[in-house]
């Protein structure tokens, strides 16, 4: 297991224990390998409280000196445009994710249809590199299971099937 997979395992563990939606994230000092902050989705408290935002807020609250640090954010899913913008504003240079926004959509998850790479492309002069697909099958399985649980426990309809039913 390489380092990316090791940290992604931790993001998956955070996501699996998240009470709301299975999005987990952590921020690592890329030079020392130290985990600086961990977070998970808390959108039942606040719709903007995504896993990545939780990790960024935790890092800001920790008082760690960020200047000169090479920050890497691991997340079970590709950051949405709100989170990707927050990542840019936070100076996080590298993002490693498991499931893509396209896969989330295929699995029935409602997502804003702007990919992280597009947010970066439209922000010339801002520095951020994306690595997608790390432990993708494990992350996909997490989202597939959570969607199934949501469908079985309520009247949530995965968006693909709701779209088909209107067309
Ligand atoms: N990447 C990501 N996408 C989301 N979509 C809804 N919530 C989240 C979240 O916490 N993280």
């Amino acid at each position: 297991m390489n380092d990316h997979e090791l940290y992604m395992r931790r993001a998956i563990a955070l996501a699996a224990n998240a009470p709301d939606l299975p999005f987990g994230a952590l921020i690592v000092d890329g030079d020392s390998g130290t985990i600086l902050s961990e977070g998970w989705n808390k959108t039942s408290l606040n719709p903007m409280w995504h896993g990545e935002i939780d990790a960024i807020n935790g890092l800001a609250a920790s008082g760690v000196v960020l200047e000169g640090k090479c920050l890497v954010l691991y997340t079970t899913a590709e950051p949405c445009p709100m989170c990707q913008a927050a990542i840019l504003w936070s100076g996080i240079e590298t993002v490693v994710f498991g499931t893509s926004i396209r896969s989330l959509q295929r699995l029935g998850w409602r997502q804003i249809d702007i990919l992280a790479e597009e947010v970066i492309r439209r922000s010339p002069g801002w520095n951020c590199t994306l690595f997608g697909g790390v432990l993708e099958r494990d992350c996909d399985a997490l989202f597939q299971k959570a969607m199934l649980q949501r469908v079985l426990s309520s009247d949530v309809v995965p968006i693909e099937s709701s779209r088909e039913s209107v067309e």
Side-chain angles (χ1 to χ4, degrees):
M1 190 179 287
N2 62 35
D3 279 1
H4 280 346
E5 290 178 348
L6 201 71
Y7 291 117
M8 188 59 79
R9 279 258 158 269
R10 180 66 193 151
I12 291 171
L14 292 167
N17 286 321
D20 296 330
L21 304 175
F23 295 91
L26 54 143
I27 300 173
V28 173
D29 178 335
D31 292 321
S32 68
T34 309
I35 296 178
L36 300 173
S37 169
E38 297 183 332
W40 53 90
N41 183 291
K42 295 173 184 159
T43 45
S44 64
L45 300 175
N46 177 333
M48 291 182 294
W49 209 334
H50 284 193
E52 296 90 329
I53 300 291
D54 194 36
I56 291 170
N57 284 344
L59 181 62
S62 73
V64 169
V65 180
L66 299 181
E67 209 170 303
K69 280 214 169 31
C70 145
L71 300 174
V72 186
L73 182 141
Y74 291 84
T75 168
T76 47
E78 179 175 352
C80 75
M82 172 185 73
C83 292
Q84 186 55 52
I87 287 164
L88 293 182
W89 283 112
S90 308
I92 294 167
E93 287 176 18
T94 309
V95 173
V96 181
F97 64 85
T99 300
S100 65
I101 287 176
R102 289 284 174 257
S103 295
L104 284 176
Q105 290 171 325
R106 268 195 298 276
L107 293 170
W109 288 84
R110 198 159 162 245
Q111 288 289 296
I112 292 175
D113 201 25
I114 300 174
L115 305 184
E117 65 175 17
E118 193 177 340
V119 175
I120 297 171
R121 188 163 36 81
R122 295 184 61 151
S123 313
W126 298 70
N127 212 8
C128 188
T129 306
L130 298 171
F131 289 105
V134 173
L135 296 185
E136 189 172 16
R137 283 215 258 156
D138 303 71
C139 292
D140 283 1
L142 198 66
F143 290 107
Q144 193 166 20
K145 185 172 161 216
M147 178 51 78
L148 193 64
Q149 278 166 348
R150 294 181 85 203
V151 171
L152 292 176
S153 66
S154 71
D155 55 1
V156 171
V157 180
I159 56 156
E160 270 313 307
S161 29
S162 62
R163 206 183 281 152
E164 271 163 28
S165 63
V166 220
E167 282 166 0

